[in-house]
Amino acid sequence: MPDLWAEVEKVLDIRFSRALQVMLFLAVAAENGSGPLSSADLAHRLNANPSLVRKLLVPLTEEGLVVCVKGRSGGARLGRPADGITLAEIYRCAVGDKPLFAPSPGVEPVCSVTAHGGEYFAALTAEAEEAVLASLGDRTLADSVGELRRLCAGHAPEG
Amino acid sequence: MPDLWAEVEKVLDIRFSRALQVMLFLAVAAENGSGPLSSADLAHRLNANPSLVRKLLVPLTEEGLVVCVKGRSGGARLGRPADGITLAEIYRCAVGDKPLFAPSPGVEPVCSVTAHGGEYFAALTAEAEEAVLASLGDRTLADSVGELRRLCAGHAPEG
DNA sequence: TAAAAAGCAATCGATACAGTTGCAGTTTAC
DNA sequence: GTAAACTGCAACTGTATCGATTGCTTTTTA
């Protein structure tokens, strides 16, 4: 048990964060023209287990965002150029069908207000989710790599 | 144990949904000019436990969205007119400081891309969250009550 | 003064997610 | 042809968080 991260964040849903990290690593690998990254490679970079990484990769592969090649010297690479992949797509893969807001169990319609509460809440959720996807859709994976490089340069201590 | 909701939803975070329902009940109560609703009243409408409702009410009270009066014939009422309360405020109360996306535990900065990953992800999260709040901020509680009434009328079977 | 309400702490239970292990299948390097 | 290195997958464990309940104290008013 590594206490590297003794102050580990609470266990919430970190799948999006992880998926994004994986995609960023694959993006820079694609830039560098290196071959596919094995799950062991990625796991090392993420400080995680290779099998866990492979599980993370499943939905991304299903959606065509990454391509996994089996066998010796296999691994994962981007399924498309990094400037054609938006963060919204990565988000969708990572969280699946899980809605942004969960509805409470249906109460019996006791009055005019509760009668269509579920319907209304679903519409509300859909709209908020669209707003999130629009926000994430503005950025491509290539944008993110560039942004991170700029952050790095900005904070570089040497003149 | 009521198996009314035998098909109970998975346990996700339904606090926003619950809080919104409570506020809707309080809004119609305010419209009707009736006195404060007791936690037992609300619990009955929500098919829940009075104590659970009181816990739900805590953050809403702290933020001034509802006012709770103690003692006999006490209860909860809106702290402000319904057209001055947005769904964004209710959301903030319900979920507290919990960020929309959770960051993964910090990995050591092994390359230029991971170095500021946490920073970048936090910015991403903040922007998405703002989008959600903007979406929810468009609607007031009064709007919601009106919308639900319209849904009801629209579905009315009689000509 | 007793009833009725909020407030609060402790606790139980369920679920979803994080992570691990182990092995079967596949492909390539040699 | 075979062994190494990889993915794919299933079963499993652990645990934090949230849903929900119980029981008590405090407050107010009828």
Side-chain angles (χ1 to χ4, degrees), chain A residues 10-11 38-39 51 54-55 68-72 74-75:
Chain A
K10 297 138 212 268
V11 173
S38 72
S39 61
S51 191
R54 288 198 286 270
K55 261 196 287 193
C68 290
V69 307
K70 288 193 281 194
R72 186 163 176 165

Side-chain angles (χ1 to χ4, degrees), chain A:
Chain A
M1 219 76 56
D3 36 296
L4 277 173
W5 41 50
E7 301 228 3
V8 61
E9 304 286 329
K10 297 138 212 268
V11 173
L12 296 165
D13 195 344
I14 65 176
R15 285 177 297 176
F16 176 44
S17 175
R18 280 271 156 89
L20 181 55
Q21 283 181 321
V22 166
M23 293 299 283
L24 287 169
F25 283 127
L26 295 182
V28 298
E31 262 187 5
N32 297 347
S34 47
L37 291 181
S38 72
S39 61
D41 280 341
L42 286 168
H44 180 251
R45 286 172 169 80
L46 289 169
N47 227 323
N49 189 296
S51 191
L52 180 60
V53 171
R54 288 198 286 270
K55 261 196 287 193
L56 264 178
L57 244 21
V58 168
L60 295 167
T61 303
E62 282 173 353
E63 222 57 39
L65 266 50
V66 314
V67 171
C68 290
V69 307
K70 288 193 281 194
R72 186 163 176 165
S73 83
R77 58 179 173 78
L78 287 188
R80 264 185 279 156
D83 57 5
I85 297 177
T86 69
L87 302 196
E89 295 175 276
I90 299 172
Y91 174 78
R92 260 282 149 259
C93 283
V95 306
D97 287 340
K98 178 177 160 183
L100 192 59
F101 307 140
S104 53
V107 295
E108 312 95 87
V110 293
C111 76
S112 66
V113 170
T114 51
H116 299 87
E119 208 176 316
Y120 180 68
F121 192 76
L124 216 64
T125 302
E127 190 179 314
E129 213 163 282
E130 259 181 52
V132 168
L133 290 177
S135 163
L136 294 177
D138 282 343
R139 290 178 172 84
T140 68
L141 194 55
D143 291 335
S144 297
V145 173
E147 183 69 24
L148 283 167
R149 290 240 171 79
R150 284 203 299 121
L151 274 178
C152 220
H155 286 292
E158 55 256 307

Side-chain angles (χ1 to χ4, degrees), chain B residues 10-12 37-40 51 54-55 68-76:
Chain B
K10 296 140 212 263
V11 173
L12 296 164
L37 292 181
S38 72
S39 60
S51 193
R54 287 197 286 269
K55 261 196 287 193
C68 289
V69 306
K70 288 192 282 194
R72 186 162 176 165
S73 84

Side-chain angles (χ1 to χ4, degrees), chain B residues 13-56:
Chain B
D13 195 344
I14 65 176
R15 285 177 295 178
F16 175 44
S17 175
R18 279 270 157 89
L20 180 54
Q21 284 182 321
V22 166
M23 292 300 281
L24 286 170
F25 282 127
L26 294 182
V28 299
E31 262 188 4
N32 297 346
S34 46
L37 292 181
S38 72
S39 60
D41 279 341
L42 285 169
H44 180 253
R45 286 172 167 81
L46 289 169
N47 229 324
N49 190 295
S51 193
L52 179 60
V53 171
R54 287 197 286 269
K55 261 196 287 193
L56 264 177

